[in-house]
Amino acid sequence: MGSMYPTRRGLTGAALAAALAAASRPSRAAAPVPEAATLLAPGPEDGPEARMAARAAAALARGLVQAAAVRVAVLGGPDGITAANRFASSTAPDGRVLLMLPGLAAQAQLVGDSRARYEPRQWPALCASLQAAVVAGRGAPADAAPLRVALPSPGAPEAAALLALDLLGRRTTPIFGLSGPAAEAAVRNGQADALVICGAAPGARAAALGLAAWFAFDAAGGGRDQMAPEIPSLGDLLPDPHRPDLLDAARAAGAALRTRALVVLPPLTSADVVALWRGAAQRWAEEAPGPADDGARRVGAAEATMLSSTLCAAPDIALAYREWLLRRLNWRAG
């Protein structure tokens, strides 16, 4: 199956997309459409992840070449770890079970969370829902003044902002226990100087807080995020990093912030079955996003596979990130 999964460093951008397109072409003997399939999704039952999974499952069913039922099975919490563990431990590569993987589940594997008993690097990607993730702060990222960065926890993907600022040479102090509205309130009250903004209109939201949008985490395959094209990418600011492995680690955690959902198949799924589902997934990617997408962008197999190559970091990149967490924050995953 080596030709079906491009190496993480051997192919990027257009080359990876071309290789994926070649791998996705159906063979002369097309795979049969299953009568029914299941999409495993993070919970809770009434949560945004489960609702997104329901919309994706309906689109996948419509996109198949003949009628089939695609039902959603909700497992565990919104971090997706329970669903990913179930998918990894009990799924046959026959195209009957798919997984909606959130960025948080990939982050858990990146930091070495003992609950994450799966290896997602060989899961063929079908489609994804992406959002922008931007680091914003007072002044400019190269200023000399110490910076207080609002973060949820050392193990959260937002810690990539701290690593990125370290690579840029900025003196920073993390302030943990802050995310979303609480982080924004800390900035407004003068208790923090920088934060990560995810979702729609990050530049305007940064300006409303009196901040400048410093950089966005790179798009799949590198370059600027087309959801925030006016904001430099992290790669724009670090074209020649002194620690490329740590830049890749920051990009992996940044991809976890950007990934609302990545739909995948089990490893060793045949090329015909992968091609069948990638064709169906294109229907969801091409449908106009609705209000529930909240500024997110849907992408098909080519961009989802490039995303996966960054999100699901190689072992040496994961090790570099874990060593940085221990050295910088004295933190190790339990």
Side-chain angles (χ1 to χ4, degrees):
M1 299 296 294
S3 63
M4 196 170 118
Y5 307 112
T7 62
R8 294 299 180 227
R9 295 181 182 176
L11 291 173
T12 58
L16 181 53
L20 172 65
S24 300
R25 294 188 189 106
S27 69
R28 293 180 183 275
V33 176
E35 293 183 3
T38 299
L39 176 62
L40 302 182
E45 290 278 355
D46 59 348
E49 292 81 9
R51 292 194 295 269
M52 187 187 341
R55 293 191 297 272
L60 287 167
R62 290 194 297 271
L64 288 168
V65 294
Q66 64 187 58
V70 181
R71 73 178 188 91
V72 175
V74 175
L75 298 170
D79 61 17
I81 293 174
T82 299
N85 281 332
R86 176 72 63 83
F87 180 77
S89 65
S90 61
T91 303
D94 57 7
R96 297 179 184 275
V97 179
L98 305 85
L99 172 69
M100 178 168 275
L101 181 79
L104 286 176
Q107 176 73 9
Q109 203 270 343
L110 176 69
V111 301
D113 190 322
S114 60
R115 299 173 299 157
R117 298 183 299 275
Y118 44 84
E119 172 48 76
R121 287 184 297 141
Q122 298 300 323
W123 293 349
L126 304 181
C127 55
S129 174
L130 302 177
Q131 64 183 0
V134 169
V135 177
R138 293 193 173 95
D143 288 348
L147 190 72
R148 297 165 299 171
V149 185
L151 299 171
S153 69
E158 286 88 345
L162 196 70
L163 173 54
L165 291 165
D166 280 1
L167 293 173
L168 289 166
R170 186 70 187 267
R171 288 188 296 159
T172 56
T173 299
I175 303 177
F176 292 119
L178 298 171
S179 63
E184 294 182 6
V187 169
R188 288 194 187 95
N189 297 334
Q191 298 168 330
D193 308 302
L195 79 170
V196 178
I197 298 174
C198 295
R205 289 164 58 196
L209 292 168
L211 306 179
W214 286 343
F215 59 85
F217 286 100
D218 302 63
R224 294 194 178 192
D225 189 336
Q226 72 178 67
M227 290 178 286
E230 76 283 3
I231 301 174
S233 71
L234 178 58
D236 288 338
L237 302 188
L238 285 168
D240 188 23
H242 67 282
R243 286 290 304 271
D245 56 342
L246 286 179
L247 176 58
D248 285 345
R251 284 171 165 159
L257 288 168
R258 297 183 66 244
T259 303
R260 296 183 66 204
L262 175 68
V263 180
V264 297
L265 286 167
L268 305 180
T269 302
S270 72
D272 288 339
V273 172
V274 172
L276 172 75
W277 280 112
R278 282 179 171 161
Q282 195 62 30
R283 167 68 69 93
W284 183 62
E286 291 175 351
E287 287 182 349
D293 287 276
D294 192 27
R297 187 168 67 92
R298 302 176 185 180
V299 300
E303 193 165 344
T305 297
M306 289 189 284
L307 168 71
S308 177
S309 71
T310 302
L311 174 69
C312 306
D316 59 325
I317 302 305
L319 178 61
Y321 190 59
R322 295 171 194 177
E323 289 176 342
W324 173 80
L325 286 169
L326 183 61
R327 181 176 64 254
R328 178 69 165 83
L329 302 173
N330 194 30
W331 186 87
R332 189 196 308 270

